[in-house]
Amino acid sequence: MGVLGGPFLIVSLLLAGAGAMKAYDPANTVGALRRFRLPVPSWAVRAGGAAELAIGLAAVATGARWAAALVAASYALFTVFVAIALLRRLPVGSCGCFGKVDTPASWLHVVIDACVTGVAAAVAIAGGDSLAVILRDQPAGGVPFVIFVATGVYLLFVALTALPQLLETMKSAPDA
């Protein structure tokens, strides 16, 4: 998988985490979908979250093209959903991507989702490796690589949740 190994694991683990959060608490996602005039019941959002969790974990465990294609398709749907919400100026305070965690719909979200769609699509085309295979080739037993991936997941999560809120606050704050 080469240079895409780390980024692909990051986006796959983020998808798995987001799915787990939606499966645990689907309320924000249900609300966002209803504002989109899609009256999806909580159980369906929970099932979708469980599917995201399974797709993300399958991608990490196997690195298979089919799993990468499903990761790419998931992020492509998120990209389209948030872009349409923004273009239609729907009152979506949170897109529901991370369940209860507030995730404001923003153009930053669209750009990030489009970029990670590209990462997953590239792996779907080129093929990937499982986490076990990637770790086997890492120095120091893979510990630095695992720290890199964990940090990447966290930073991507912050970029989708806290950063848009911070930018909005800064935009609306009076000049000092």
Side-chain angles (χ1 to χ4, degrees), residues 21 31-32 38 52 57 59 63-64 66 76 92 110 115 119 126 136 139 150 158 165:
M21 288 187 240
L38 296 170
E52 288 174 16
L57 292 179
W66 63 267
V92 179
V110 173
C115 290
V119 168
R136 184 179 62 213
V158 168
Q165 292 174 356

Side-chain angles (χ1 to χ4, degrees), residues 58-86:
V60 170
T62 68
R65 290 175 190 229
W66 63 267
L70 290 174
V71 171
S74 298
Y75 280 110
L77 285 172
F78 302 152
T79 305
V80 170
F81 177 82
V82 177
I84 289 172
L86 289 168

Side-chain angles (χ1 to χ4, degrees), residues 68-140:
L70 290 174
V71 171
S74 298
Y75 280 110
L77 285 172
F78 302 152
T79 305
V80 170
F81 177 82
V82 177
I84 289 172
L86 289 168
L87 290 170
R88 289 186 181 174
R89 297 181 187 199
L90 296 176
V92 179
S94 175
C95 66
C97 289
F98 296 103
K100 184 121 178 112
V101 176
D102 191 26
T103 314
S106 69
W107 288 109
L108 176 63
H109 197 323
V110 173
V111 169
I112 290 171
D113 282 348
C115 290
V116 299
T117 299
V119 168
V123 173
I125 292 166
D129 294 317
S130 69
L131 177 60
V133 169
I134 293 170
L135 288 177
R136 184 179 62 213
D137 297 332
Q138 296 298 315

